Amino acid sequence: MLTKLKTEVARRALSARQRFGFSLDSPCDVYELISKYGLALRFTNISTLDGLYLNDGLLGSINISALRPSGHQHFTAAHELGHFLLGHGAHLDEKIEDMESNSTEETMADTFARHLLMPKRAVLSGFRSLGMTPADANPEQYYAVASWLGVGYTTLIQHTRWTLGLIDSAQLHQLTLKSPQQIKRRQVPSVSWTGRKELWPLAGWWNGANVHLQVGDVVTGLVSPSLDHFDIGDGCAIATSVGQISATVFGSATVNLNIAKTDYVGMYQYRYLEEPIDA
Ligand SMILES: [Zn+2]
Protein backbone atom coordinates (compact mmCIF):
# COMPACT_ATOMS: atom_id res chain seq x y z
CA MET A 1 0.00 0.00 0.00
CA LEU A 2 2.73 2.43 1.05
CA THR A 3 4.85 1.42 -1.95
CA LYS A 4 1.99 2.18 -4.32
CA LEU A 5 1.47 5.56 -2.68
CA LYS A 6 5.19 6.33 -2.92
CA THR A 7 5.20 5.51 -6.63
CA GLU A 8 2.32 7.92 -7.15
CA VAL A 9 4.11 10.65 -5.13
CA ALA A 10 7.31 10.12 -7.17
CA ARG A 11 5.26 10.53 -10.36
CA ARG A 12 3.77 13.78 -8.99
CA ALA A 13 7.27 15.13 -8.25
CA LEU A 14 8.48 14.40 -11.77
CA SER A 15 5.45 16.03 -13.34
CA ALA A 16 5.88 19.13 -11.10
CA ARG A 17 9.38 19.46 -12.60
CA GLN A 18 8.21 18.98 -16.15
CA ARG A 19 5.29 21.38 -15.84
CA PHE A 20 7.75 24.28 -15.57
CA GLY A 21 10.36 22.99 -17.98
CA PHE A 22 12.94 21.44 -15.64
CA SER A 23 14.18 18.45 -17.60
CA LEU A 24 14.52 15.15 -15.76
CA ASP A 25 18.26 14.86 -16.31
CA SER A 26 19.29 18.23 -14.84
CA PRO A 27 18.97 19.96 -11.44
CA CYS A 28 15.63 21.46 -10.38
CA ASP A 29 15.85 24.95 -8.88
CA VAL A 30 13.27 24.39 -6.16
CA TYR A 31 13.15 28.07 -5.10
CA GLU A 32 12.26 29.09 -8.67
CA LEU A 33 9.74 26.25 -8.88
CA ILE A 34 8.01 27.42 -5.68
CA SER A 35 7.80 30.95 -7.13
CA LYS A 36 6.33 29.60 -10.37
CA TYR A 37 3.59 27.89 -8.36
CA GLY A 38 2.76 31.34 -6.92
CA LEU A 39 3.63 30.44 -3.34
CA ALA A 40 5.30 32.97 -1.05
CA LEU A 41 8.79 31.83 -0.01
CA ARG A 42 10.43 33.32 3.05
CA PHE A 43 13.71 32.67 4.87
CA THR A 44 13.45 32.94 8.65
CA ASN A 45 15.89 33.00 11.54
CA ILE A 46 13.94 30.48 13.59
CA SER A 47 16.58 27.99 14.68
CA THR A 48 14.22 25.37 16.12
CA LEU A 49 12.32 24.74 12.85
CA ASP A 50 13.60 23.38 9.53
CA GLY A 51 10.60 24.84 7.79
CA LEU A 52 6.87 25.24 7.69
CA TYR A 53 4.05 25.29 5.22
CA LEU A 54 1.08 27.54 5.88
CA ASN A 55 -2.15 27.28 4.03
CA ASP A 56 -4.51 30.22 4.32
CA GLY A 57 -7.14 29.28 1.81
CA LEU A 58 -6.23 29.39 -1.88
CA LEU A 59 -2.48 29.71 -1.85
CA GLY A 60 0.05 28.92 0.79
CA SER A 61 3.40 30.13 1.96
CA ILE A 62 6.62 28.31 2.68
CA ASN A 63 9.10 29.30 5.37
CA ILE A 64 12.64 27.93 5.47
CA SER A 65 15.15 28.32 8.28
CA ALA A 66 18.13 30.36 7.06
CA LEU A 67 20.23 28.70 9.76
CA ARG A 68 20.77 25.40 7.93
CA PRO A 69 23.28 24.24 5.29
CA SER A 70 22.33 25.06 1.69
CA GLY A 71 21.44 21.48 0.69
CA HIS A 72 19.29 21.10 3.81
CA GLN A 73 17.41 24.32 2.95
CA HIS A 74 16.70 23.04 -0.59
CA PHE A 75 15.45 19.73 0.77
CA THR A 76 13.17 21.49 3.26
CA ALA A 77 11.80 23.73 0.48
CA ALA A 78 11.06 20.66 -1.68
CA HIS A 79 9.44 18.89 1.31
CA GLU A 80 7.16 21.87 2.01
CA LEU A 81 6.27 22.16 -1.70
CA GLY A 82 5.33 18.47 -1.42
CA HIS A 83 2.87 19.26 1.41
CA PHE A 84 1.29 21.90 -0.83
CA LEU A 85 1.05 19.82 -4.02
CA LEU A 86 -0.11 16.69 -2.19
CA GLY A 87 -2.96 18.69 -0.64
CA HIS A 88 -1.80 18.36 2.98
CA GLY A 89 -2.84 20.99 5.53
CA ALA A 90 -0.44 23.38 7.28
CA HIS A 91 2.71 21.70 8.58
CA LEU A 92 5.32 22.69 11.08
CA ASP A 93 8.52 20.73 10.54
CA GLU A 94 11.00 20.65 13.36
CA LYS A 95 13.29 18.08 11.87
CA ILE A 96 12.62 16.56 8.50
CA GLU A 97 14.50 14.00 6.48
CA ASP A 98 14.70 11.49 9.31
CA MET A 99 14.48 8.12 7.63
CA GLU A 100 11.95 7.18 10.34
CA SER A 101 9.22 9.72 9.66
CA ASN A 102 6.35 9.44 12.09
CA SER A 103 3.41 10.02 9.79
CA THR A 104 2.35 9.10 6.27
CA GLU A 105 2.16 12.76 5.25
CA GLU A 106 5.76 13.34 6.40
CA THR A 107 6.97 10.21 4.61
CA MET A 108 5.19 11.33 1.42
CA ALA A 109 6.60 14.88 1.60
CA ASP A 110 10.12 13.39 1.97
CA THR A 111 9.51 11.03 -0.96
CA PHE A 112 8.31 13.99 -3.03
CA ALA A 113 11.44 16.00 -2.13
CA ARG A 114 13.84 13.16 -3.02
CA HIS A 115 12.31 12.59 -6.44
CA LEU A 116 11.97 16.30 -7.18
CA LEU A 117 15.61 17.08 -6.42
CA MET A 118 17.24 13.76 -7.34
CA PRO A 119 15.38 11.91 -10.14
CA LYS A 120 17.27 8.82 -11.27
CA ARG A 121 18.01 10.34 -14.69
CA ALA A 122 19.56 13.47 -13.14
CA VAL A 123 21.68 11.43 -10.71
CA LEU A 124 22.97 9.18 -13.52
CA SER A 125 23.56 12.17 -15.79
CA GLY A 126 25.68 13.90 -13.10
CA PHE A 127 27.92 10.84 -12.65
CA ARG A 128 28.07 10.30 -16.42
CA SER A 129 29.43 13.85 -16.85
CA LEU A 130 32.32 12.76 -14.62
CA GLY A 131 32.79 9.56 -16.63
CA MET A 132 31.55 7.50 -13.69
CA THR A 133 28.61 5.46 -12.41
CA PRO A 134 27.26 5.74 -8.84
CA ALA A 135 28.83 2.35 -8.09
CA ASP A 136 32.41 3.34 -8.93
CA ALA A 137 32.45 7.07 -8.04
CA ASN A 138 34.59 8.31 -5.12
CA PRO A 139 33.52 10.67 -2.28
CA GLU A 140 34.77 13.80 -4.11
CA GLN A 141 32.62 12.86 -7.11
CA TYR A 142 29.57 12.27 -4.91
CA TYR A 143 30.21 15.68 -3.36
CA ALA A 144 30.33 17.30 -6.84
CA VAL A 145 27.09 15.67 -8.03
CA ALA A 146 25.34 16.55 -4.73
CA SER A 147 26.41 20.23 -5.10
CA TRP A 148 25.21 20.28 -8.69
CA LEU A 149 21.81 18.89 -7.66
CA GLY A 150 21.66 21.30 -4.69
CA VAL A 151 21.45 18.57 -2.04
CA GLY A 152 23.67 17.46 0.85
CA TYR A 153 26.43 14.87 0.37
CA THR A 154 24.89 12.32 2.76
CA THR A 155 21.40 12.91 1.33
CA LEU A 156 22.60 11.90 -2.15
CA ILE A 157 24.40 8.79 -0.83
CA GLN A 158 21.33 7.64 1.15
CA HIS A 159 19.05 8.24 -1.83
CA THR A 160 21.37 6.36 -4.20
CA ARG A 161 21.34 3.40 -1.79
CA TRP A 162 17.81 3.25 -0.39
CA THR A 163 15.58 4.87 -3.02
CA LEU A 164 17.38 4.13 -6.27
CA GLY A 165 19.22 0.96 -5.21
CA LEU A 166 22.26 1.87 -7.34
CA ILE A 167 24.86 1.03 -4.67
CA ASP A 168 25.03 -1.66 -1.98
CA SER A 169 25.43 -1.26 1.77
CA ALA A 170 29.20 -1.80 1.64
CA GLN A 171 29.55 1.08 -0.84
CA LEU A 172 27.26 3.24 1.29
CA HIS A 173 29.45 2.54 4.32
CA GLN A 174 32.63 3.30 2.40
CA LEU A 175 31.28 6.67 1.18
CA THR A 176 30.00 7.77 4.58
CA LEU A 177 33.47 7.29 6.10
CA LYS A 178 34.29 10.65 4.51
CA SER A 179 32.56 13.79 5.80
CA PRO A 180 31.73 16.84 3.64
CA GLN A 181 34.08 18.87 5.87
CA GLN A 182 36.99 16.50 5.04
CA ILE A 183 36.21 16.70 1.32
CA LYS A 184 36.17 20.51 1.38
CA ARG A 185 39.42 20.62 3.35
CA ARG A 186 41.11 18.31 0.89
CA GLN A 187 39.93 20.20 -2.20
CA VAL A 188 40.69 23.69 -0.89
CA PRO A 189 43.16 23.38 2.01
CA SER A 190 43.84 27.15 2.14
CA VAL A 191 40.38 27.95 3.55
CA SER A 192 39.42 27.42 7.19
CA TRP A 193 36.28 25.31 6.88
CA THR A 194 34.03 26.37 9.72
CA GLY A 195 30.28 26.73 10.08
CA ARG A 196 27.97 26.44 7.09
CA LYS A 197 30.47 27.71 4.54
CA GLU A 198 29.90 25.81 1.27
CA LEU A 199 32.28 24.73 -1.47
CA TRP A 200 30.90 24.98 -5.03
CA PRO A 201 33.18 22.90 -7.31
CA LEU A 202 32.03 24.38 -10.64
CA ALA A 203 33.08 22.61 -13.84
CA GLY A 204 32.21 22.50 -17.55
CA TRP A 205 29.34 20.04 -17.05
CA TRP A 206 27.54 22.61 -14.81
CA ASN A 207 26.69 24.66 -17.93
CA GLY A 208 23.40 26.54 -17.44
CA ALA A 209 23.16 25.77 -13.70
CA ASN A 210 21.53 28.29 -11.37
CA VAL A 211 23.58 28.27 -8.16
CA HIS A 212 22.31 29.75 -4.87
CA LEU A 213 25.26 30.71 -2.70
CA GLN A 214 25.95 33.16 0.09
CA VAL A 215 28.67 35.58 1.12
CA GLY A 216 31.59 33.59 2.55
CA ASP A 217 31.02 30.56 0.28
CA VAL A 218 33.98 29.26 -1.71
CA VAL A 219 33.86 28.63 -5.47
CA THR A 220 36.36 26.77 -7.65
CA GLY A 221 36.49 26.56 -11.45
CA LEU A 222 35.69 30.23 -12.28
CA VAL A 223 37.55 31.89 -15.15
CA SER A 224 38.52 35.42 -13.94
CA PRO A 225 35.94 35.86 -11.14
CA SER A 226 34.27 39.27 -10.91
CA LEU A 227 36.19 41.33 -8.36
CA ASP A 228 32.95 43.15 -7.51
CA HIS A 229 31.64 39.93 -5.99
CA PHE A 230 34.67 37.80 -5.10
CA ASP A 231 37.97 37.86 -3.27
CA ILE A 232 40.61 35.75 -4.94
CA GLY A 233 41.92 33.02 -2.65
CA ASP A 234 44.50 30.28 -3.13
CA GLY A 235 42.97 28.15 -5.91
CA CYS A 236 39.47 29.49 -5.26
CA ALA A 237 37.22 32.55 -5.14
CA ILE A 238 35.36 33.64 -2.00
CA ALA A 239 31.99 35.38 -2.38
CA THR A 240 32.05 38.85 -0.84
CA SER A 241 28.94 40.69 -1.97
CA VAL A 242 25.28 40.17 -2.83
CA GLY A 243 24.10 40.04 -6.44
CA GLN A 244 23.19 37.95 -9.46
CA ILE A 245 25.88 37.40 -12.06
CA SER A 246 26.59 35.21 -15.02
CA ALA A 247 30.05 33.63 -14.77
CA THR A 248 32.34 31.69 -17.08
CA VAL A 249 33.62 28.35 -15.84
CA PHE A 250 36.65 26.38 -17.09
CA GLY A 251 35.45 23.94 -19.74
CA SER A 252 33.62 26.74 -21.61
CA ALA A 253 30.46 26.76 -19.50
CA THR A 254 28.31 29.57 -18.17
CA VAL A 255 26.55 29.43 -14.81
CA ASN A 256 24.27 31.87 -13.01
CA LEU A 257 25.49 32.76 -9.55
CA ASN A 258 22.90 34.11 -7.10
CA ILE A 259 24.77 35.43 -4.07
CA ALA A 260 22.82 36.19 -0.89
CA LYS A 261 23.85 37.83 2.35
CA THR A 262 25.11 35.30 4.93
CA ASP A 263 22.07 33.74 6.71
CA TYR A 264 19.70 36.03 4.75
CA VAL A 265 16.31 36.56 6.41
CA GLY A 266 13.39 37.84 4.31
CA MET A 267 11.41 37.15 1.16
CA TYR A 268 13.02 35.10 -1.61
CA GLN A 269 12.40 37.77 -4.27
CA TYR A 270 14.63 40.25 -2.40
CA ARG A 271 17.34 37.71 -1.52
CA TYR A 272 19.84 38.78 -4.21
CA LEU A 273 19.20 42.51 -4.40
CA GLU A 274 22.40 44.48 -3.98
CA GLU A 275 22.07 46.90 -1.10
CA PRO A 276 21.46 50.49 -2.24
CA ILE A 277 24.48 52.74 -1.95
CA ASP A 278 23.91 55.64 0.46
CA ALA A 279 24.13 59.05 -1.17
ZN1 LIG B 1 6.55 18.02 6.83
Side-chain angles (χ1 to χ4, degrees):
M1 179 62 199
L2 199 58
T3 310
K4 205 174 155 198
L5 198 53
K6 279 188 175 173
T7 308
E8 171 58 18
V9 168
R11 198 191 60 76
R12 295 279 291 277
L14 300 185
S15 70
R17 265 181 164 253
Q18 287 175 306
R19 179 171 169 195
F20 291 105
F22 291 102
S23 84
L24 294 184
D25 53 10
S26 60
C28 173
D29 186 334
V30 63
Y31 298 155
E32 282 302 305
L33 186 60
I34 288 171
S35 304
K36 287 180 196 298
Y37 271 104
L39 295 165
L41 175 61
R42 183 192 298 275
F43 293 83
T44 72
N45 55 5
I46 306 172
S47 62
T48 52
L49 281 183
D50 276 354
L52 61 120
Y53 162 62
L54 299 172
N55 181 348
D56 55 359
L58 285 177
L59 273 182
S61 69
I62 287 174
N63 287 252
I64 307 293
S65 174
L67 310 177
R68 298 288 187 275
S70 157
H72 194 119
Q73 290 182 19
H74 283 129
F75 194 92
T76 303
H79 173 106
E80 306 302 344
L81 180 63
H83 282 314
F84 166 70
L85 288 176
L86 300 171
H88 302 162
H91 269 263
L92 209 119
D93 292 305
E94 284 177 17
K95 197 172 186 327
I96 61 172
E97 217 190 334
D98 282 340
M99 286 316 252
E100 302 285 321
S101 281
N102 50 6
S103 82
T104 307
E105 288 194 347
E106 290 312 307
T107 306
M108 291 309 129
D110 278 350
T111 300
F112 180 92
R114 288 191 194 102
H115 289 277
L116 185 79
L117 299 174
M118 306 173 282
K120 188 175 181 180
R121 277 176 56 181
V123 171
L124 291 174
S125 151
F127 285 107
R128 202 179 309 120
S129 303
L130 293 164
M132 305 306 280
T133 67
D136 55 23
N138 65 30
E140 280 75 17
Q141 292 162 331
Y142 265 84
Y143 184 91
V145 173
S147 293
W148 178 66
L149 292 170
V151 298
Y153 172 71
T154 310
T155 304
L156 176 62
I157 296 170
Q158 298 282 352
H159 179 68
T160 309
R161 170 69 189 103
W162 301 112
T163 315
L164 302 178
L166 296 170
I167 55 173
D168 61 27
S169 293
Q171 288 162 322
L172 170 101
H173 175 71
Q174 206 55 37
L175 289 163
T176 47
L177 290 177
K178 273 267 160 65
S179 72
Q181 273 328 53
Q182 288 172 309
I183 296 168
K184 292 179 204 174
R185 219 172 288 140
R186 186 161 148 178
Q187 293 199 12
V188 188
S190 59
V191 165
S192 99
W193 289 101
T194 51
R196 287 188 297 278
K197 204 181 287 178
E198 298 288 344
L199 168 65
W200 301 97
L202 304 181
W205 55 281
W206 286 55
N207 192 35
N210 210 21
V211 183
H212 296 275
L213 58 159
Q214 64 175 10
V215 168
D217 280 2
V218 178
V219 182
T220 56
L222 288 177
V223 179
S224 42
S226 148
L227 297 177
D228 289 340
H229 293 94
F230 291 98
D231 272 347
I232 308 303
D234 187 0
C236 65
I238 299 158
T240 53
S241 69
V242 176
Q244 289 179 297
I245 53 169
S246 168
T248 309
V249 173
F250 284 107
S252 60
T254 303
V255 297
N256 302 309
L257 301 177
N258 307 281
I259 310 169
K261 207 173 128 182
T262 311
D263 298 345
Y264 170 82
V265 169
M267 299 299 293
Y268 171 63
Q269 64 260 42
Y270 308 131
R271 202 176 189 221
Y272 306 112
L273 293 186
E274 300 180 34
E275 296 194 34
I277 298 160
D278 292 332

